[in-house]
Amino acid sequence: MPEIQPFRALRYSPAAIDDQARLICPPYDVISPSLQRELYEASPYNAVRLELPMEPDPYKAASERITRWLQSGVLTRDDEQALYPCFQTSTDSAGHEHIRKGFFCALRLYEFSEAQVLPHERTLSGPKADRLNLFRETGMNISSIFGLYADEHLEVDRLIGEFVDGNEPVMDEEFQGVRNRMWKISDKGLIARVQQVLLERKAYIADGHHRYETGVAYRKLRAAENPSHTGREPYNFILTYLANIYDEGLLIFPLHRMVHNLQGFDPGEFIKRLEADFSIRQLKGRGELSAYLDAHTSEHAFGVVTSRGTFGICLKGMAAAILDGVVSGPLQQLDVVVLHEIVLRRMLGISPEAMRDQANLVYTENDCEVFDAVRNGDIQVGFIVKPTTVRQVMDISAAGEVMPQKSTYFYPKIMTGLLFHEL
């Protein structure tokens, strides 16, 4: 596995601020303008003011705030290097509780070609330019990437679990229905044992591809500017939350597709066109669709929601028979690839560029939103998909492939503001 290191985190000072629940926020890429305003109003010290400032020059605003908050004691630097376990507790729609367990560390940056850190998504130039400006102006990782590793014997889970059971968290706050508890491990012996277990394992990026690639670019810039560069400087590492793929609390939600603004779209004609490649069953709404998808555990099956009704569709033959020569074997196993290539591109004529730019396509993790949007006439057709599995993420990454945009939604998001990593 890539080298992981403890680090001296920059954190909010409990002595300066008593209600730390008002300080944390999601990562920048899921903060809507309305949530951004709401977070600004929550506290003059909310992490959104560093992660996604509203000022005309957001990068300068973030940098100046960091300086002021350090001087005033709002932010404080830990006096020793540490790893930071973080457990996130959430409840699903059925009322079941899930606890995802992981820890924050400093992860050494590698080129993807070195096959130490493996991606599964393509990135866009705009977000990377934005994050690079923030890195350069602030000299800090404000939000963490989310990485996975495979520890089938749960050795790291056991080591960290024993520590957590015997120590009080340094933070215990709830945000958007998710409880975030964080501890601090400074024991060098325990840290060394965690490092040793993970030494031979690869890291897979679950979330934060843009930030990771930005970290690599920033490292190159700093190394070129530093005649005394050794490779041990903090800028050679990036703030990372690592979780075990065998953790029972690791959840991936599906991201459903909603299509709009297609010229001449006719739902009846579209359903007829689907019959060429899919078996089709008309269903009585959301409940029957959920049961239909649950019953199709291995086939490429989807829900189709239109103004003419709700349908369950399942690919008749093998995906390879249709997709050979178009996409690789590992990608042919993914439902979203089958949906994008056969239905969205070939049948509906949505180009890869339009999908990337979301010209005709928007995404939601809430299937109720799909039904509501069709009912209200906001979209022309919605597609309900099953979640990508963690094993598929790892297989695609290991094969050097990348998934279509919005193939995974790891829940919950890693909160920004629990700690920061200085570069």
mmCIF file of all heavy atoms in Angstrom, residues 64-89:
data_model
loop_
_atom_site.group_PDB
_atom_site.id
_atom_site.type_symbol
_atom_site.label_atom_id
_atom_site.label_comp_id
_atom_site.label_asym_id
_atom_site.label_seq_id
_atom_site.Cartn_x
_atom_site.Cartn_y
_atom_site.Cartn_z
ATOM 1 N N GLU A 64 -6.847 34.127 4.013
ATOM 2 C CA GLU A 64 -6.862 35.153 5.059
ATOM 3 C C GLU A 64 -7.612 34.678 6.295
ATOM 4 O O GLU A 64 -7.233 34.993 7.428
ATOM 5 C CB GLU A 64 -7.489 36.433 4.510
ATOM 6 C CG GLU A 64 -6.610 37.125 3.465
ATOM 7 C CD GLU A 64 -7.270 38.361 2.868
ATOM 8 O OE1 GLU A 64 -8.508 38.529 3.057
ATOM 9 O OE2 GLU A 64 -6.559 39.150 2.207
ATOM 10 N N ARG A 65 -8.668 33.894 6.087
ATOM 11 C CA ARG A 65 -9.410 33.367 7.237
ATOM 12 C C ARG A 65 -8.542 32.413 8.065
ATOM 13 O O ARG A 65 -8.563 32.447 9.292
ATOM 14 C CB ARG A 65 -10.673 32.642 6.770
ATOM 15 C CG ARG A 65 -11.801 33.554 6.386
ATOM 16 C CD ARG A 65 -13.121 32.812 6.279
ATOM 17 N NE ARG A 65 -14.154 33.757 5.892
ATOM 18 C CZ ARG A 65 -14.639 33.887 4.664
ATOM 19 N NH1 ARG A 65 -14.193 33.096 3.696
ATOM 20 N NH2 ARG A 65 -15.560 34.783 4.394
ATOM 21 N N ILE A 66 -7.816 31.557 7.382
ATOM 22 C CA ILE A 66 -6.960 30.613 8.102
ATOM 23 C C ILE A 66 -5.987 31.366 8.998
ATOM 24 O O ILE A 66 -5.793 31.028 10.175
ATOM 25 C CB ILE A 66 -6.212 29.701 7.111
ATOM 26 C CG1 ILE A 66 -7.191 28.762 6.408
ATOM 27 C CG2 ILE A 66 -5.132 28.890 7.831
ATOM 28 C CD1 ILE A 66 -6.585 28.017 5.236
ATOM 29 N N THR A 67 -5.379 32.412 8.456
ATOM 30 C CA THR A 67 -4.437 33.215 9.238
ATOM 31 C C THR A 67 -5.125 33.838 10.446
ATOM 32 O O THR A 67 -4.612 33.772 11.576
ATOM 33 C CB THR A 67 -3.820 34.311 8.361
ATOM 34 O OG1 THR A 67 -3.131 33.705 7.251
ATOM 35 C CG2 THR A 67 -2.848 35.166 9.160
ATOM 36 N N ARG A 68 -6.295 34.437 10.237
ATOM 37 C CA ARG A 68 -7.014 35.090 11.346
ATOM 38 C C ARG A 68 -7.450 34.067 12.387
ATOM 39 O O ARG A 68 -7.334 34.302 13.594
ATOM 40 C CB ARG A 68 -8.237 35.847 10.822
ATOM 41 C CG ARG A 68 -7.927 37.078 10.009
ATOM 42 C CD ARG A 68 -9.149 37.993 9.913
ATOM 43 N NE ARG A 68 -10.331 37.305 9.437
ATOM 44 C CZ ARG A 68 -10.664 37.201 8.151
ATOM 45 N NH1 ARG A 68 -9.877 37.728 7.220
ATOM 46 N NH2 ARG A 68 -11.769 36.568 7.780
ATOM 47 N N TRP A 69 -7.954 32.923 11.938
ATOM 48 C CA TRP A 69 -8.463 31.923 12.874
ATOM 49 C C TRP A 69 -7.328 31.311 13.692
ATOM 50 O O TRP A 69 -7.524 30.965 14.858
ATOM 51 C CB TRP A 69 -9.239 30.849 12.122
ATOM 52 C CG TRP A 69 -10.523 31.357 11.498
ATOM 53 C CD1 TRP A 69 -11.025 32.624 11.565
ATOM 54 C CD2 TRP A 69 -11.438 30.600 10.694
ATOM 55 N NE1 TRP A 69 -12.203 32.713 10.852
ATOM 56 C CE2 TRP A 69 -12.478 31.486 10.310
ATOM 57 C CE3 TRP A 69 -11.477 29.281 10.253
ATOM 58 C CZ2 TRP A 69 -13.561 31.085 9.527
ATOM 59 C CZ3 TRP A 69 -12.538 28.873 9.464
ATOM 60 C CH2 TRP A 69 -13.571 29.750 9.103
ATOM 61 N N LEU A 70 -6.157 31.188 13.115
ATOM 62 C CA LEU A 70 -5.004 30.709 13.879
ATOM 63 C C LEU A 70 -4.577 31.741 14.916
ATOM 64 O O LEU A 70 -4.286 31.413 16.075
ATOM 65 C CB LEU A 70 -3.841 30.389 12.935
ATOM 66 C CG LEU A 70 -3.863 29.024 12.253
ATOM 67 C CD1 LEU A 70 -2.834 28.964 11.124
ATOM 68 C CD2 LEU A 70 -3.584 27.924 13.268
ATOM 69 N N GLN A 71 -4.547 32.998 14.508
ATOM 70 C CA GLN A 71 -4.124 34.064 15.423
ATOM 71 C C GLN A 71 -5.087 34.236 16.589
ATOM 72 O O GLN A 71 -4.679 34.506 17.721
ATOM 73 C CB GLN A 71 -3.990 35.388 14.654
ATOM 74 C CG GLN A 71 -2.824 35.410 13.668
ATOM 75 C CD GLN A 71 -2.820 36.638 12.789
ATOM 76 O OE1 GLN A 71 -3.815 37.374 12.694
ATOM 77 N NE2 GLN A 71 -1.696 36.889 12.129
ATOM 78 N N SER A 72 -6.386 34.033 16.320
ATOM 79 C CA SER A 72 -7.390 34.237 17.364
ATOM 80 C C SER A 72 -7.636 32.982 18.204
ATOM 81 O O SER A 72 -8.365 33.040 19.193
ATOM 82 C CB SER A 72 -8.716 34.677 16.727
ATOM 83 O OG SER A 72 -9.252 33.642 15.902
ATOM 84 N N GLY A 73 -7.053 31.867 17.822
ATOM 85 C CA GLY A 73 -7.232 30.639 18.586
ATOM 86 C C GLY A 73 -8.430 29.812 18.168
ATOM 87 O O GLY A 73 -8.726 28.795 18.803
ATOM 88 N N VAL A 74 -9.145 30.221 17.116
ATOM 89 C CA VAL A 74 -10.257 29.413 16.606
ATOM 90 C C VAL A 74 -9.725 28.083 16.085
ATOM 91 O O VAL A 74 -10.329 27.024 16.290
ATOM 92 C CB VAL A 74 -11.031 30.172 15.510
ATOM 93 C CG1 VAL A 74 -12.019 29.246 14.793
ATOM 94 C CG2 VAL A 74 -11.754 31.367 16.097
ATOM 95 N N LEU A 75 -8.589 28.138 15.390
ATOM 96 C CA LEU A 75 -7.901 26.932 14.943
ATOM 97 C C LEU A 75 -6.656 26.715 15.799
ATOM 98 O O LEU A 75 -5.977 27.676 16.176
ATOM 99 C CB LEU A 75 -7.487 27.053 13.473
ATOM 100 C CG LEU A 75 -8.586 27.036 12.419
ATOM 101 C CD1 LEU A 75 -7.993 27.241 11.033
ATOM 102 C CD2 LEU A 75 -9.389 25.743 12.464
ATOM 103 N N THR A 76 -6.373 25.466 16.092
ATOM 104 C CA THR A 76 -5.183 25.134 16.870
ATOM 105 C C THR A 76 -4.490 23.938 16.240
ATOM 106 O O THR A 76 -5.135 23.081 15.636
ATOM 107 C CB THR A 76 -5.562 24.822 18.332
ATOM 108 O OG1 THR A 76 -4.367 24.559 19.079
ATOM 109 C CG2 THR A 76 -6.472 23.608 18.424
ATOM 110 N N ARG A 77 -3.179 23.894 16.368
ATOM 111 C CA ARG A 77 -2.385 22.829 15.768
ATOM 112 C C ARG A 77 -2.076 21.785 16.835
ATOM 113 O O ARG A 77 -1.598 22.127 17.925
ATOM 114 C CB ARG A 77 -1.102 23.414 15.196
ATOM 115 C CG ARG A 77 -0.261 22.471 14.385
ATOM 116 C CD ARG A 77 0.932 23.198 13.784
ATOM 117 N NE ARG A 77 0.530 24.158 12.761
ATOM 118 C CZ ARG A 77 0.575 25.482 12.939
ATOM 119 N NH1 ARG A 77 0.961 26.003 14.090
ATOM 120 N NH2 ARG A 77 0.213 26.297 11.960
ATOM 121 N N ASP A 78 -2.378 20.522 16.557
ATOM 122 C CA ASP A 78 -2.069 19.474 17.521
ATOM 123 C C ASP A 78 -0.567 19.449 17.805
ATOM 124 O O ASP A 78 0.255 19.708 16.918
ATOM 125 C CB ASP A 78 -2.522 18.106 17.009
ATOM 126 C CG ASP A 78 -4.002 17.857 17.263
ATOM 127 O OD1 ASP A 78 -4.614 18.645 18.003
ATOM 128 O OD2 ASP A 78 -4.534 16.867 16.730
ATOM 129 N N ASP A 79 -0.211 19.111 19.047
ATOM 130 C CA ASP A 79 1.192 19.171 19.455
ATOM 131 C C ASP A 79 1.972 17.907 19.123
ATOM 132 O O ASP A 79 3.180 17.836 19.384
ATOM 133 C CB ASP A 79 1.293 19.468 20.956
ATOM 134 C CG ASP A 79 0.525 18.456 21.799
ATOM 135 O OD1 ASP A 79 -0.002 17.492 21.217
ATOM 136 O OD2 ASP A 79 0.448 18.647 23.024
ATOM 137 N N GLU A 80 1.317 16.889 18.548
ATOM 138 C CA GLU A 80 2.014 15.656 18.187
ATOM 139 C C GLU A 80 1.338 15.023 16.978
ATOM 140 O O GLU A 80 0.166 15.274 16.689
ATOM 141 C CB GLU A 80 2.010 14.678 19.369
ATOM 142 C CG GLU A 80 0.624 14.392 19.907
ATOM 143 C CD GLU A 80 0.651 13.630 21.219
ATOM 144 O OE1 GLU A 80 1.721 13.096 21.563
ATOM 145 O OE2 GLU A 80 -0.391 13.572 21.887
ATOM 146 N N GLN A 81 2.086 14.215 16.269
ATOM 147 C CA GLN A 81 1.545 13.540 15.104
ATOM 148 C C GLN A 81 0.594 12.434 15.534
ATOM 149 O O GLN A 81 0.798 11.779 16.552
ATOM 150 C CB GLN A 81 2.668 12.962 14.254
ATOM 151 C CG GLN A 81 3.552 14.017 13.605
ATOM 152 C CD GLN A 81 4.518 13.412 12.624
ATOM 153 O OE1 GLN A 81 4.883 12.246 12.723
ATOM 154 N NE2 GLN A 81 4.925 14.200 11.632
ATOM 155 N N ALA A 82 -0.444 12.220 14.733
ATOM 156 C CA ALA A 82 -1.463 11.247 15.116
ATOM 157 C C ALA A 82 -2.202 10.724 13.897
ATOM 158 O O ALA A 82 -2.159 11.320 12.807
ATOM 159 C CB ALA A 82 -2.457 11.874 16.089
ATOM 160 N N LEU A 83 -2.844 9.569 14.075
ATOM 161 C CA LEU A 83 -3.901 9.101 13.192
ATOM 162 C C LEU A 83 -5.219 9.417 13.882
ATOM 163 O O LEU A 83 -5.296 9.459 15.117
ATOM 164 C CB LEU A 83 -3.795 7.594 12.941
ATOM 165 C CG LEU A 83 -2.516 7.078 12.289
ATOM 166 C CD1 LEU A 83 -2.568 5.552 12.163
ATOM 167 C CD2 LEU A 83 -2.288 7.716 10.917
ATOM 168 N N TYR A 84 -6.286 9.591 13.093
ATOM 169 C CA TYR A 84 -7.556 10.047 13.662
ATOM 170 C C TYR A 84 -8.694 9.127 13.222
ATOM 171 O O TYR A 84 -9.261 9.310 12.141
ATOM 172 C CB TYR A 84 -7.839 11.490 13.231
ATOM 173 C CG TYR A 84 -6.801 12.481 13.702
ATOM 174 C CD1 TYR A 84 -5.627 12.685 12.981
ATOM 175 C CD2 TYR A 84 -6.988 13.196 14.882
ATOM 176 C CE1 TYR A 84 -4.669 13.587 13.416
ATOM 177 C CE2 TYR A 84 -6.030 14.103 15.324
ATOM 178 C CZ TYR A 84 -4.870 14.295 14.591
ATOM 179 O OH TYR A 84 -3.923 15.196 15.035
ATOM 180 N N PRO A 85 -9.026 8.113 14.027
ATOM 181 C CA PRO A 85 -10.190 7.283 13.703
ATOM 182 C C PRO A 85 -11.448 8.137 13.650
ATOM 183 O O PRO A 85 -11.625 9.068 14.445
ATOM 184 C CB PRO A 85 -10.255 6.287 14.869
ATOM 185 C CG PRO A 85 -8.873 6.265 15.422
ATOM 186 C CD PRO A 85 -8.349 7.659 15.245
ATOM 187 N N CYS A 86 -12.318 7.819 12.700
ATOM 188 C CA CYS A 86 -13.584 8.542 12.571
ATOM 189 C C CYS A 86 -14.673 7.538 12.218
ATOM 190 O O CYS A 86 -14.558 6.832 11.213
ATOM 191 C CB CYS A 86 -13.483 9.624 11.499
ATOM 192 S SG CYS A 86 -14.993 10.599 11.299
ATOM 193 N N PHE A 87 -15.703 7.469 13.054
ATOM 194 C CA PHE A 87 -16.842 6.583 12.834
ATOM 195 C C PHE A 87 -18.056 7.444 12.491
ATOM 196 O O PHE A 87 -18.359 8.400 13.206
ATOM 197 C CB PHE A 87 -17.139 5.745 14.080
ATOM 198 C CG PHE A 87 -16.096 4.722 14.428
ATOM 199 C CD1 PHE A 87 -14.913 4.611 13.699
ATOM 200 C CD2 PHE A 87 -16.291 3.858 15.492
ATOM 201 C CE1 PHE A 87 -13.947 3.671 14.020
ATOM 202 C CE2 PHE A 87 -15.334 2.905 15.834
ATOM 203 C CZ PHE A 87 -14.156 2.815 15.091
ATOM 204 N N GLN A 88 -18.755 7.088 11.425
ATOM 205 C CA GLN A 88 -19.947 7.821 10.995
ATOM 206 C C GLN A 88 -21.161 6.905 11.116
ATOM 207 O O GLN A 88 -21.197 5.830 10.522
ATOM 208 C CB GLN A 88 -19.795 8.315 9.561
ATOM 209 C CG GLN A 88 -18.726 9.387 9.401
ATOM 210 C CD GLN A 88 -18.619 9.875 7.972
ATOM 211 O OE1 GLN A 88 -18.130 9.171 7.103
ATOM 212 N NE2 GLN A 88 -19.082 11.085 7.720
ATOM 213 N N THR A 89 -22.137 7.345 11.885
ATOM 214 C CA THR A 89 -23.344 6.562 12.145
ATOM 215 C C THR A 89 -24.522 7.179 11.419
ATOM 216 O O THR A 89 -24.816 8.360 11.584
ATOM 217 C CB THR A 89 -23.642 6.502 13.651
ATOM 218 O OG1 THR A 89 -22.496 5.997 14.347
ATOM 219 C CG2 THR A 89 -24.834 5.608 13.932
#
